[in-house]
Amino acid sequence: MKFTLSWLKDHLDTTASVAEIAEALTDLGLEVEGIENPGERLADFTLGYVEKAEKHPDADKLRVCMVRTDDGVQQIICGAPNAREGITVVIAKPGTYVPGIDTTIQVGKIRGVESYGMMCSEREMELSEEHDGIIELPSGTVGQRFVDWLAENDPAKVDPVIEIGITPNRQDALGVHGIARDLAARGLGTLKPLKKHDVEGQFPSPLTVTIDEDTQGEGGCHVFAGRLIRGVENRPSPQWLQDRLRAIGLRPISALVDITNFFTHDRNRPLHVFDADKVSGNLRVRRAEAGETLEGLDEKTHTFSDGQVVISDDQGIESIGGIMGGLATGCTMDTTDVFLEAAVWDRIQIAMTGRALKINSDARYRNERGIDPAYNMQAMEDATAMILDLCGGEPSSVVVAGRVPDVARAYRLDPRKVVSLVGMEIPESEQRQTLTALGFRMEGDMAHVPSWRPDVLGEADLVEEVARIASLTKLEGKPLPRLGAGVPEPVLSPMQVREQTGRRTAAALGYNECVTYSFIDHAAATLFGGGDDQTMLANPISSEMSHMRPSLLPGLLQAAARNQARGQGDLALFEVGATFSGGEPGEQGLEISGILVGRTGPKDVHGGSRPVDLFDAKADVEAILQAVGAPAKTQVLRGGDSWWHPGRHGRLCLGPKKTLAVFGELHPKVLDALDVKGPAVAFTIWPEEIPLPRKTGASRGALAISDLQAVERDFAFVVDADVQALDLVNAASGADKALIDDVRVFDEFVGGSLGAGKKSLAITVRLQPSDKTLTEKEIEAVGAKIVAKVEKATGGTLRG
Amino acid sequence: MDELRDKYIDAIANASDEAALEALRVQAVGKKGEVSLKMRELGKMTPEERQVAGPALNALKTEINAALAARKASLADAALEERLKTEWLDVTLPSRGRRIGTIHPVSQVTEEVTAIFADMGFSVAEGPQIDSDWYNFDALNIPGHHPARAEMDTFYMHRAEGDNRPPHVLRTHTSPVQIRHMEKHGAPCRIIAPGRVYRADYDQTHTPMFHQVEGLALDRDISMANLKWVLEAFFSAFFGTSVKTRFRASHFPFVEPGAEVDIQCSFEGGTVKVGEGDDWLEVLGSGMVHPSVLRAGGVDPDTYQGFAFGMGIDRIAMLKYGIPDLRAFFESDLRWLKHYGFSALEVPTLHGGL
């Protein structure tokens, strides 16, 4: 919402400066978004008088002028054709910044003759595009500031323009009068009452208006008033009106149209004018049928759906009620008979129709936020008076369909509640005074809401009004008491702690944390089991962000591809965040995913750099699982999702259906589709799947360690190539659970002398006696049991 | 005997290597060595002679053995020294590679915020990112036609043909967590709810996803003045310097009265410094929870009142750590992650500083 200072002063008697007004507006909740003060950048320009002008000795088009200024007579070289003796001009003295040429004037020599300043054109001061010559003023005294001369003689040129942001609850501030009311309530001046006109109809209106039964009241049109004014002479608006409209960014069109725009911005009162000669028959407010069209004032054809509220005549739709008029019946300079409309429309209906038709007009903006219905009939009178004043003509009596809606309501003002909610001591008398100044009528402790405040719908709204006028800037903080004496209790849930621990462990393992978008493209989502309609956005911002991610991996892999494209090839990235299995609230789960791409590090002098492999990912996933409290023993199962390399991934499970995590190589096709150059391995952990520990105490349980010497023995077995090491290890461990402390695979050898389809797995078994040192015989006995167990479980043989 | 001593002590001291030393040992104190042979002669002596010669010979043997050991050690030292002289490495060569991981600023700042509010008794609540329009809008006093809805640039989820429920939304703010928390736990309460939020907007300063932290405190007599104190306490702890706030009346449908909150700052040379100067920077929206919102959450507005606020986590991260571009937060450029990221062990704590 834009307005000028002089416009505001039409409604507010005030001596406050622009700065004071701006500060108050922002504090009142009408946030100032910008102030354009043309006077500010013209502050240094002063008036001068050309006493003498002679041709420049070395240039035909230049003149050497002797100009009387407040610093005495100065020599100024000027190239303007109208630079001559005896005119009053505007001077930029040395040191003055000239905005139109973006230059600060210096003393200089022009073709060898010194010049002490510049005489300016309008364009050079950004007052207009006028640049045919320098400004010649009809009045003014030497040394007078040009801004002061403008303020006296052409005030529109230096009228500051203030732009404020309007929150959806402040319909009343969509008119300058409402803004003035707020400022007056704050004490920045006195609100000037609107002049009420009463125009007597000279004849009955030949045009009548009706509202269809299904369109009356709620959801349609509450009241539609109109009047014909015949014999008007439409012409350009007077300068003051044109200046105002231009200042707030509107193009003056003609007096009739400008008057409606004036009412829109002056008092939040949209109106419409029909060229009555172009209307055939009477006006009827009705619901549109699907497919009907109208060419609007925006010169676009709008197609209606069933039920949208329109105004039609015998030819069809002529106007979109409360949103935009039609081009065919719009007023032009040739209009002689005008039909003025003032109506109150249902706000929700306006919002929905406006949104559906994608029309953002000033009328829609105001009608959907809410105008003052009680002003409807008076607006008809006031606007008629202005038309008669600017265009002449003869008014008919007013025709009305429907009724002005009754919006009277009152809420109890509880002054103690105000103080308790705001935490500021505002005396009851001040509270009542504030509400009265804002147009509320106090009756005992009941506050009757003014008709222009549809947003006030309860006691809490009264509190807000009182608080904002009292100024929240004055609010002093008051400590929020602690919940109890002593040390605050921990606040995080076990799962929240787990999430943080997982995140910091991954970073400690050398991964860089990413935060990637929750929505990804359809193709990437599909690769990872998503991309269905349930997880699709109806209005994505781009096709790259169309589906909620089913997994963190596609986002990380795409990040890897981007980094590779920038020449960063070795990557360890991870993310902790939500993934989405469906489109219903709650169909989301927490994941921790990491990827390793490229080599373990750049090639180095130690020869330690090698391509990453799945055992890197496995080590990291195990470390994170351990850190977040997963059970030490998990099963490693295959059969993971399709985006893993089918033979090179494992699920870490508690039983076949409870997968805590998965790790492995990504499927080459997936890498290819996402433009990632491999090798790439990854892991995903589902922290919510990990059971919470059963015991809650902090105690660790006793540590059992033996002083007796542990014994290690190595065994090598030849087994089929598809025998899994873990099965062999589990078999060996089971040979004597009390004695066997640890079984470790230390060598794998495939093929060679063993023949195809065979491999050798070598293990170290650590025996830890607890009561006496083991004899060689006992060791041999355990060894035999281990061999037997392993051979039975794996079908292998001890390697001789 | 002195002669013998001088001969061997000298010879041992001059022995050039271990072999020479061993030869001397055999020659002097070996089974058939000179000293051993002399000791054998003790038996033939008179008791008087023996009393003199015995201890002297034993002393001589001890002295020679000690000299042998000393010479052996010094030869070993010399040999080691000689070896070490040849052992030289270029220690300016790079160390073995080790990846250094980082924590994203959003996570770090979320933990910082959590640590500060935890001290003031706020626990951490969570809610779904896809939510019904009731939780995201209606329950928060934003009915279907409310202009605020249109202004929110909401992302809607697809609705299958025939499913006539209003489409779900990607939450446009963390405020729905207020409702869900009240429904489940009632009042009084103190929570914060950090998390991802979504708005269909992408330009220099907006990304379609960003992070907010919601705050909600309900009790019988919590006021806006308490809110101001809490926020000032928070910002001062967060920025590590005393920060003043300024409340300006504003409107959010779910609070009444509502206020925009500015923090004190200075703008000098293109950088923002929080906690000094005379300028103000808008950082969050807040207010007293609207009675309709309390009712939607099942809390009686005649008994309970309190404040709510919502602030951008990315935004305060940018302010605190001087990160210029919001969009880069989500681009995962390794150089950015390393530069703006935090060490794994840099866990924010109140006692260690934030």
Side-chain angles (χ1 to χ4, degrees), chain A residues 461 464 481-482 518 538-539 606, chain B residues 94 119 156 190 196 198 256:
Chain A
D461 297 283
E464 175 160 273
R482 293 186 87 85
S518 303
N539 57 335
H606 312 293
Chain B
D119 185 66
Y156 293 93
R190 291 183 191 184
R196 292 182 174 205
Y198 305 87
E256 190 126 63

Side-chain angles (χ1 to χ4, degrees), chain B residues 28-54:
Chain B
V29 295
K31 275 187 183 162
K32 291 181 180 169
E34 271 192 87
V35 178
S36 307
L37 291 176
K38 285 237 182 237
M39 286 179 112
R40 279 188 207 162
E41 287 169 11
L42 284 176
K44 298 173 190 163
M45 292 181 189
T46 63
E48 290 77 24
E49 282 172 331
R50 204 182 302 146
Q51 255 186 1
V52 177

Side-chain angles (χ1 to χ4, degrees), chain A residues 28-31 166-171 453 455-456 461 464-465 468 472, chain B residues 140-142 146-148 151 248-260 285-287 290:
Chain A
L28 285 164
L30 304 173
E31 190 177 354
I166 305 283
T167 52
N169 62 327
R170 293 302 309 280
Q171 314 81 0
R453 291 300 299 270
D455 61 301
V456 175
D461 297 283
E464 175 160 273
E465 293 305 298
R468 71 181 183 85
L472 292 177
Chain B
L140 293 163
N141 206 26
I142 312 173
H146 198 285
E151 282 170 16
R248 281 183 289 109
S250 189
H251 173 76
F252 308 96
F254 31 95
V255 288
E256 190 126 63
E260 301 239 41
S286 67
H290 197 289

Side-chain angles (χ1 to χ4, degrees), chain A residues 514-682:
Chain A
C514 301
V515 175
T516 68
Y517 285 110
S518 303
F519 20 56
I520 58 176
D521 62 281
H522 179 247
T526 309
L527 284 176
F528 288 83
D532 53 18
D533 285 357
Q534 279 80 52
T535 54
M536 181 168 72
L537 270 63
N539 57 335
I541 199 161
S542 82
S543 62
E544 301 297 298
M545 301 180 171
S546 61
H547 286 75
M548 299 309 287
R549 59 185 181 187
S551 156
L552 302 178
L553 292 174
L556 288 173
L557 289 165
Q558 286 172 334
R562 288 195 300 272
N563 278 297
Q564 285 182 334
R566 283 188 290 255
Q568 303 271 4
D570 303 327
L571 298 159
L573 303 177
F574 83 105
E575 180 164 8
V576 181
T579 58
F580 301 84
S581 58
E584 292 296 318
E587 287 183 338
Q588 72 178 55
L590 182 66
E591 289 185 3
I592 304 173
S593 277
I595 59 168
L596 294 169
V597 182
R599 303 181 67 84
T600 54
K603 64 180 177 221
D604 67 18
V605 67
H606 312 293
S609 164
R610 57 171 173 77
V612 295
D613 63 35
L614 73 86
F615 297 103
D616 293 316
K618 188 179 184 189
D620 294 335
V621 81
E622 285 172 345
I624 298 169
L625 281 175
Q626 190 192 1
V628 300
K633 297 259 178 195
T634 52
Q635 291 163 275
V636 186
L637 302 178
R638 290 168 189 273
D641 292 300
S642 62
W643 49 92
W644 298 102
H645 184 304
R648 297 188 176 177
H649 74 271
R651 293 186 292 135
L652 300 173
C653 300
L654 299 175
K657 286 194 176 153
K658 184 116 182 128
T659 307
L660 308 185
V662 57
F663 65 91
E665 270 180 40
L666 287 153
H667 199 291
K669 277 189 173 175
V670 167
L671 293 184
D672 202 38
L674 296 174
D675 278 334
V676 177
K677 289 182 275 300
V681 295

Side-chain angles (χ1 to χ4, degrees), chain B residues 4 18 37 57-58 90 98 101 126 130 145 161 165 193 217 219 223 253 278 280 299 325 327 339 350:
Chain B
L4 202 57
E18 291 227 11
L37 291 176
L57 274 173
N58 269 329
D90 180 359
R98 175 169 294 158
E126 291 162 307
I130 297 175
H145 57 84
E161 191 97 15
R165 295 176 297 160
D219 212 326
S223 73
D278 298 327
W280 298 97
V299 169
D325 185 0
R327 292 172 300 182
H339 183 81
L350 290 185

Side-chain angles (χ1 to χ4, degrees), chain B residues 105-349:
Chain B
V106 165
S107 301
Q108 185 76 10
V109 167
T110 303
E111 283 190 36
E112 291 175 5
V113 170
T114 305
I116 298 168
F117 279 104
D119 185 66
M120 295 190 272
F122 289 72
S123 55
V124 178
E126 291 162 307
Q129 295 176 24
I130 297 175
D131 216 332
S132 69
D133 73 333
W134 189 82
Y135 278 105
N136 195 70
F137 292 124
D138 299 72
L140 293 163
N141 206 26
I142 312 173
H145 57 84
H146 198 285
R149 270 205 195 193
E151 282 170 16
M152 283 247 194
D153 297 318
T154 310
F155 281 117
Y156 293 93
M157 296 302 294
H158 170 78
R159 264 276 169 261
E161 191 97 15
D163 186 344
N164 293 324
R165 295 176 297 160
H168 292 325
V169 301
L170 290 186
R171 65 179 181 191
T172 56
H173 42 196
T174 41
S175 310
V177 184
Q178 286 186 30
I179 306 293
R180 290 181 177 276
H181 186 84
M182 283 190 276
E183 281 180 337
K184 216 166 165 190
H185 304 284
C189 74
R190 291 183 191 184
I191 54 152
I192 57 167
R196 292 182 174 205
V197 298
Y198 305 87
R199 295 194 192 172
D201 201 355
Y202 191 79
D203 59 33
Q204 287 260 289
T205 54
H206 297 89
T207 49
M209 175 187 89
F210 55 104
H211 297 77
Q212 265 192 353
V213 56
E214 192 78 9
L216 173 71
L218 299 177
D219 212 326
R220 287 168 192 276
D221 53 3
I222 288 181
S223 73
M224 212 157 181
N226 294 134
L227 167 63
K228 184 171 167 98
W229 181 86
V230 164
L231 290 176
E232 287 188 348
F234 165 75
F235 284 121
S236 298
F238 180 76
F239 288 107
T241 176
S242 173
V243 179
K244 287 200 183 73
T245 63
R246 181 177 73 169
F247 277 48
R248 281 183 289 109
S250 189
H251 173 76
F252 308 96
F254 31 95
V255 288
E256 190 126 63
E260 301 239 41
V261 179
D262 302 334
I263 53 174
Q264 175 200 5
C265 70
S266 72
F267 296 97
E268 268 169 31
T271 56
V272 185
K273 284 191 183 140
V274 173
E276 54 184 66
D278 298 327
D279 280 311
W280 298 97
L281 184 70
E282 187 180 319
V283 284
L284 63 87
S286 67
M288 299 302 289
V289 183
H290 197 289
S292 307
V293 174
L294 292 173
R295 250 177 250 120
V299 169
D300 177 8
D302 293 328
T303 311
Y304 290 104
Q305 64 186 46
F307 63 72
F309 61 84
M311 104 182 113
I313 291 177
D314 326 70
R315 184 158 161 71
I316 59 171
M318 290 166 78
L319 276 175
K320 180 170 178 178
Y321 294 109
I323 308 175
D325 185 0
L326 173 64
R327 292 172 300 182
F329 274 65
F330 312 118
E331 280 166 8
S332 309
D333 185 327
L334 188 62
R335 297 163 296 181
W336 190 95
L337 298 176
K338 284 180 172 170
H339 183 81
Y340 290 110
F342 294 82
S343 153
L345 294 180
E346 231 175 300
V347 182
T349 59

